[in-house]
Amino acid sequence: MMRYRAVIFDLDGVLCSTDRFHFEAWKQTAREVKAPFDEKINQRLRGVSRMESLEIILEGSPLALSGAEKLRLAEEKNARYRALLQNLTPADLTPGAEETLAALRAAGIKLAVGSSSKNAVFILERLGAASWFDAVCDGTMISHSKPHPEVFLKAAEMLGEPPGSCLVVEDAAAGLEAARAGGMDCAIIGGADMPFAPEYHIDTLEALRAIALG
Ligand code: G6P
Ligand code: MG
């Protein structure tokens, strides 16, 4: 018996680690706006859209910027981030990703990506993982980013599954909140602080086999 008919994966921090690239690219933005930036602030950017991430950094800035200046900063950050992403290879996939997804698929479970990133397709291509999914819902297709459930609800719709049949895999608090708001169970990978307990805590992607196949 399958416990879930579909699994929706967050991308950054779940299927691969792009954190260090985001961190590097935002560090320069923070310097430009004279705002502090460290791992703790970086944590708050996980799962949150590019413009909202910029607003979080600007909380620590003494400058008052116009909309046009904010847009320029976000575009420059993305250009730096995209340049760094050129270094991404299939070796940056989370250990066990390929085997685990293949096992889920072989059991008849549908697979999707639900990411706030507008670079998701590019990242999946660099990882060699673009063909592994039945649906990819990303930051280019939504108007509200996590913790709003839109990206996961849309992914479920693309798969043709009701939210109650879907398991979300996340690394970020915003993603856990989005899954809960969408009526989906959530497995959290990694050790980030969560606002409430998810249905599952996992250390590795391999642990999903037992959870999803029940
Ligand atoms: C993911 C990351 C966030 C990032 C967001 C937007 O959710 O976890 O840290 O801000 O995507 O990414 P983008 O690639 O569109 O700038
Ligand atoms: Mg994430």
Side-chain angles (χ1 to χ4, degrees):
M1 248 295 282
M2 267 159 29
R3 171 76 184 83
Y4 299 98
R5 295 179 52 84
V7 181
I8 305 175
F9 292 86
D10 173 47
L11 179 60
D12 298 281
V14 171
L15 293 174
C16 65
S17 174
T18 43
D19 247 41
R20 63 191 190 284
F21 299 141
H22 277 299
F23 186 86
E24 276 312 308
W26 279 129
K27 202 165 75 182
Q28 188 168 331
T29 308
R31 217 180 292 132
E32 280 177 44
V33 301
K34 303 178 183 9
F37 191 59
D38 56 20
E39 271 305 335
K40 201 165 164 223
I41 298 170
N42 194 48
Q43 279 285 342
R44 288 179 60 205
L45 311 185
R46 287 182 182 220
V48 172
S49 73
R50 196 179 307 158
M51 288 312 286
E52 287 166 303
S53 296
L54 176 62
E55 291 296 344
I56 290 172
I57 290 171
L58 287 174
E59 285 173 16
S61 168
L63 311 179
L65 301 179
S66 68
E69 285 166 326
K70 289 180 187 176
L71 217 54
R72 177 184 61 80
L73 286 171
E75 277 167 11
E76 287 173 1
K77 180 269 174 180
N78 194 50
R80 285 193 295 277
Y81 178 57
R82 291 280 294 215
L84 292 168
L85 284 180
Q86 297 294 343
N87 300 319
L88 202 69
T89 72
D92 293 295
L93 278 163
T94 303
E98 186 165 14
E99 301 78 355
T100 302
L101 270 68
L104 297 177
R105 169 178 288 279
I109 292 177
K110 294 179 192 171
L111 306 177
V113 169
S115 165
S116 302
S117 174
K118 293 186 169 153
N119 294 302
V121 171
F122 179 70
I123 292 170
L124 287 169
E125 279 167 2
R126 296 242 20 124
L127 294 171
S131 66
W132 299 357
F133 301 92
D134 302 293
V136 175
C137 187
D138 67 17
T140 66
M141 302 164 75
I142 53 170
S143 34
H144 309 283
S145 100
K146 302 167 190 174
H148 194 284
E150 184 180 4
V151 75
F152 293 141
L153 290 175
K154 205 159 189 170
E157 197 182 301
M158 289 165 80
L159 294 176
E161 294 294 340
S165 301
C166 300
L167 174 69
V168 165
V169 189
E170 262 291 348
D171 67 314
L176 169 62
E177 290 175 303
R180 180 66 56 92
M184 301 177 190
D185 282 1
C186 186
I188 292 290
I189 187 162
D193 287 342
M194 292 296 142
F196 51 84
E199 281 72 21
Y200 313 95
H201 257 298
I202 56 175
D203 294 325
T204 64
L205 288 176
E206 281 98 342
L208 288 174
R209 290 199 205 195
I211 293 172
L213 302 177

